[in-house]
Every structure is written in C-alpha cells, then in structure tokens.
Amino acid sequence: AQSVTQLDSQVPVFEEAPVELRCNYSSSVSVYLFWYVQYPNQGLQLLLKYLSGSTLVKGINGFEAEFNKSQTSFHLRKPSVHISDTAEYFCAVTFSGGYQKVTFGIGTKLQVIP
Amino acid sequence: EAGVAQSPRYKIIEKRQSVAFWCNPISGHATLYWYQQILGQGPKLLIQFQNNGVVDDSQLPKDRFSAERLKGVDSTLKIQPAKLEDSAVYLCASSLGQVGKTEAFFGQGTRLTVV
C-alpha cells in the first residue's frame, strides 16, 4: 500500500537551534515529494518540492530537504530556527503512474521556544 | 497575483442543516481541489476538478456531499444534511496543471463547526 508517515506530531525546539522534521513514505512506484507549511488560521503554502535530479532540495525561509530513496525518506531540516517558524508542517507525496493524487501526512507541529 | 479565495471563513450550523462553501481559484488554473482537514489530521482530498470535469471524487461522501464547478472557474461544495463528524476546515486549492508535479495554491479555508 502507498502511504506517507510523519513520525513526530509535535517538535519543540529552542530558537536558533537546528531542527529536523521526519517524513517517510511507502511506495512501489516513483514518487514526487513536497513539504507544505501551515501558519495559524491560514492555508497551506509550499516550502519545497522534489521531482527529480539533485536529492538535496532547497526551499523558502532557509529550509531544505533530502530525498533518500533507499530509506524512503524526505526529511525537512533547518540549521537555525526562528520564532516565526512556529507552524504546522505537512509532508505530501504523489505516487506516479496513472492518476496522480497527492497524499498528505498528518502533520508535525513545530514549536519554537524563545 | 490574487490567491485562492474562499468564503465564508467560519460557519456554525446545527446537525442536519445544510451548508455551502464557495471557492474562486487563481485565474487560469485548470485544476481545483477540495480538501477536508479534521483537527489533528492532514488534509484529505474530497474532490478534484480538471476544468469543469470531475477527475477524482472517490473520497467524497456522496450521500451528503456534492460539489460543482461552473464554467470551469468557481466552485461550490455543499453538505446536506450535516453531521457532527463533518466539523473540519474545508480547504480549496488550485493548480495550473495536474498536481503531481505542479504546485497547489491553497485558500485560507472555511472552518465548519457542526453542533
């Protein structure tokens, strides 16, 4: 079965510390991978995406993610977080072949502590 | 460029009542999606339109939910009658092409509370 898993529902981290938000997927076909951010009372905004090519993808607001095919992972990282990064982060996957529907993970709430 | 517009932002109704949500996608975006986001969960696709045709409505509870996209632009999502478990944020999104590769742009959502 094809699925996406975000292992951490909440991640507290001190300001200026590094953070990693984990995302794993299960698929027998090729995938396209996305990270979205949702600030309180707002819609989702694309942070970054992996379609093909370099496995290290850089996004907005200093975030980056690395596609690891052998580990079936697409973890999101930032070397130094800011208070304004407090939000919920969603990993999303599209499974290629046939109709391509996006499947979202349950989200990880990042809480940056001053 | 104007974003995806949704209205209303908030709605409170009693169970068994009807409710409708409206979405205006970004101009020129052929693909439109309605997602349901229940508290503590990720967005779940309810229905996807390509222009004014339905591409996927496999997770739409068709006994109570309906959606249409007139003239391939605006869309409405209706619930009739509503149940308590329909309480959620309903997100509309649009994209230029098929979402597999192209970015989806989301509206702010409509928060529905069924009491």
Side-chain angles (χ1 to χ4, degrees):
Chain A
Q2 297 167 337
S3 64
V4 56
T5 303
Q6 290 185 248
L7 297 169
D8 307 300
S9 60
Q10 293 191 54
V11 173
V13 62
F14 285 104
E15 193 173 16
E16 297 183 5
V19 69
E20 178 179 85
L21 306 182
R22 297 181 290 171
C23 174
N24 287 87
Y25 66 91
S26 173
S27 176
S28 57
V29 299
S30 298
V31 296
Y32 305 118
L33 298 154
F34 306 81
W35 274 100
Y36 283 84
V37 60
Q38 187 175 33
Y39 298 104
N41 297 317
Q42 295 189 27
L44 281 73
Q45 178 185 4
L46 182 69
L47 269 180
L48 47 79
K49 61 185 176 184
Y50 171 79
L51 303 180
S52 64
S54 173
T55 57
L56 182 63
V57 179
K58 293 190 183 297
I60 62 172
N61 301 338
F63 284 92
E64 64 180 32
E66 186 158 19
F67 171 54
N68 188 320
K69 189 175 181 179
S70 62
Q71 303 277 342
T72 61
S73 68
F74 190 55
H75 299 334
L76 181 70
R77 302 185 185 101
K78 186 169 183 177
S80 176
V81 295
H82 190 266
I83 291 289
S84 59
D85 293 323
T86 295
E88 190 156 19
Y89 293 79
F90 292 91
C91 180
V93 180
T94 302
F95 304 100
S96 67
Y99 164 61
Q100 297 173 335
K101 182 173 69 176
V102 177
T103 299
F104 283 87
I106 64 170
T108 297
K109 290 181 180 174
L110 174 64
Q111 183 183 3
V112 179
I113 305 165
Chain B
E1 143 182 292
V4 177
Q6 288 188 249
S7 66
R9 286 295 313 278
Y10 306 92
K11 191 74 176 179
I12 301 174
I13 61 172
E14 295 182 349
K15 59 183 179 182
R16 291 188 291 273
Q17 284 188 324
S18 303
V19 65
F21 313 128
W22 174 82
C23 173
N24 188 348
I26 292 174
S27 177
H29 281 195
T31 311
L32 185 147
Y33 320 82
W34 283 102
Y35 286 88
Q36 180 192 57
Q37 186 178 15
I38 294 174
L39 187 64
Q41 298 181 22
K44 181 184 83 172
L45 180 69
L46 292 176
I47 189 167
Q48 177 179 339
F49 292 94
Q50 184 75 19
N51 295 308
N52 60 352
V54 176
V55 175
D56 183 355
D57 63 357
S58 58
Q59 298 193 92
L60 186 74
K62 298 180 185 65
D63 58 334
R64 298 184 300 106
F65 285 64
S66 64
E68 60 180 4
R69 188 180 185 193
L70 300 175
K71 300 180 181 178
V73 182
D74 292 7
S75 178
T76 56
L77 176 70
K78 297 179 182 178
I79 308 175
Q80 180 180 8
K83 292 185 176 181
L84 295 177
E85 58 260 36
D86 298 331
S87 294
V89 176
Y90 291 84
L91 295 166
C92 179
S94 69
S95 64
L96 267 175
Q98 195 174 28
V99 78
K101 295 184 179 182
T102 59
E103 177 183 355
F105 293 82
F106 285 80
Q108 290 184 295
T110 295
R111 184 177 297 276
L112 174 67
T113 303
V114 183
V115 298

